[in-house]
Amino acid sequence: MKITGETKVLGIFGYPVRHSLSPLMQNAALEHLGLDYIYLPFEVRPEQLETAIKGIRALGISGVNVTIPHKEKVIPFLDEVTEEASLIGSVNTIENKNGKLIGHNTDSRGYIRSLREDAGFDPKGKTILVIGAGGAAKGIIFGLFLEGASKITIANRTIEKAKKVEDTLRATGKKIEIESIPFLALKDPRILSSIDLIVNTTSMGLEGGSPDIDFSLTPEHVLVSDIVYKPPVTPFLKKAQDAGRRTLGGLGMLIYQGAISLEIWTSQKAPVEVMRNSLAPFLNPCKP
Ligand code: ATR
């Protein structure tokens, strides 16, 4: 890699940041495109966030991704936030436009793009069940809403959190059928019988767990997705596959959120396959 006096800097702010796959994926893409940029990890402690954001302007950094635990707290320090990011209440991408810092949320669009491009699924007019109501769920729910889903059911262990997301959607005044249900209601066949898409946004798959769903009660055409990308087939997806249902893992969302960030910063079409290949050795360490 050749760093010159003209090399532009991109990066990611997180705490911790050392497990992030973004530097690997973004540098592979930048190199492939032949762009004179470098993408670096920055471990930013929560109490240093404001100073770090000022540093973007001071140092002329072209753009950064923002990850845990800064996605919500960063908003007051920015000059502008897109309507989507403001609705979701979370920013994962900052664009430095001639000194003006603009906050975007590409997690939400990343998920939608993975749905479309990896699974050929268009959310418009669809009936969707989202399991979980945390930060990731919010982005996905608003993304599906903006894409014209006709009904969204949110199932969460803590029902109050689901209702809060529901209230924010209702407050937009736009037409959508939405309901919140407790986790236990997932056993109710009436919830499952007319669903087109199920999204598991809970962190249960990371610890080998899975929401308890009887997939034989879902329509045969249902698409079952999980936002966890490691393992690529979570216990939740495995159960769905065993019942003959189509599945979509979380890797596409990771890649496309990065691809959209890169497109915002460089105005170039992101090389999605290069980004996907750069992660392969990391995600499947046993395979060459
Ligand atoms: P993220 O930002 O990744 O979405 P989060 O905000 O901590 O992370 O949200 C995690 C989600 O997984 C929540 O919906 C959480 O349910 P609660 O709102 O009730 O906490 C859900 N979750 C995590 N572990 C769970 C478990 N063992 N059973 C059911 N839901 C679980």
Side-chain angles (χ1 to χ4, degrees), residues 72-83:
E72 285 152 27
K73 305 224 168 56
V74 76
I75 292 179
F77 307 133
L78 303 175
D79 299 312
E80 209 176 291
V81 172
T82 62
E83 186 192 354

Side-chain angles (χ1 to χ4, degrees), residues 129-144:
L129 169 64
V130 178
I131 309 173
K138 244 162 66 179
I140 286 173
I141 291 165
F142 288 120
L144 293 167

Side-chain angles (χ1 to χ4, degrees), residues 188-209:
D188 185 344
R190 282 169 306 175
I191 299 288
L192 300 176
S193 61
S194 57
I195 292 288
D196 300 306
L197 168 69
I198 303 178
V199 195
N200 178 27
T201 70
T202 70
S203 40
M204 297 169 78
L206 292 169
E207 294 131 29

Side-chain angles (χ1 to χ4, degrees), residues 138-281:
K138 244 162 66 179
I140 286 173
I141 291 165
F142 288 120
L144 293 167
F145 164 70
L146 293 171
E147 290 294 315
S150 67
K151 178 174 179 185
I152 301 179
T153 301
I154 311 171
N156 200 41
R157 179 176 59 179
T158 314
I159 185 83
E160 296 74 26
K161 266 167 80 180
K163 289 224 182 290
K164 230 171 132 188
V165 179
E166 184 184 330
D167 289 345
T168 316
L169 269 187
R170 283 195 200 291
T172 62
K174 291 182 188 157
K175 192 170 163 276
I176 181 157
E177 204 181 323
I178 180 151
E179 65 175 350
S180 302
I181 60 168
F183 221 60
L184 287 174
L186 288 173
K187 293 191 183 302
D188 185 344
R190 282 169 306 175
I191 299 288
L192 300 176
S193 61
S194 57
I195 292 288
D196 300 306
L197 168 69
I198 303 178
V199 195
N200 178 27
T201 70
T202 70
S203 40
M204 297 169 78
L206 292 169
E207 294 131 29
S210 163
D212 193 10
I213 284 203
D214 179 353
F215 287 104
S216 69
L217 300 174
T218 62
E220 280 185 12
H221 75 266
V222 76
L223 174 67
V224 181
S225 92
D226 200 321
I227 62 163
V228 170
Y229 55 84
K230 203 175 178 187
V233 180
T234 60
F236 186 68
L237 296 185
K238 175 74 173 57
K239 269 198 250 174
Q241 285 178 0
D242 288 347
R245 302 300 186 261
R246 212 156 63 95
T247 62
L248 175 69
L251 186 61
M253 179 178 176
L254 172 75
I255 293 165
Y256 287 113
Q257 62 76 31
I260 299 167
S261 299
L262 188 75
E263 288 169 1
I264 289 170
W265 297 321
T266 67
S267 305
Q268 302 257 349
K269 180 121 182 75
V272 172
E273 282 318 304
V274 170
M275 297 169 87
R276 196 184 294 272
N277 290 339
S278 75
L279 299 181

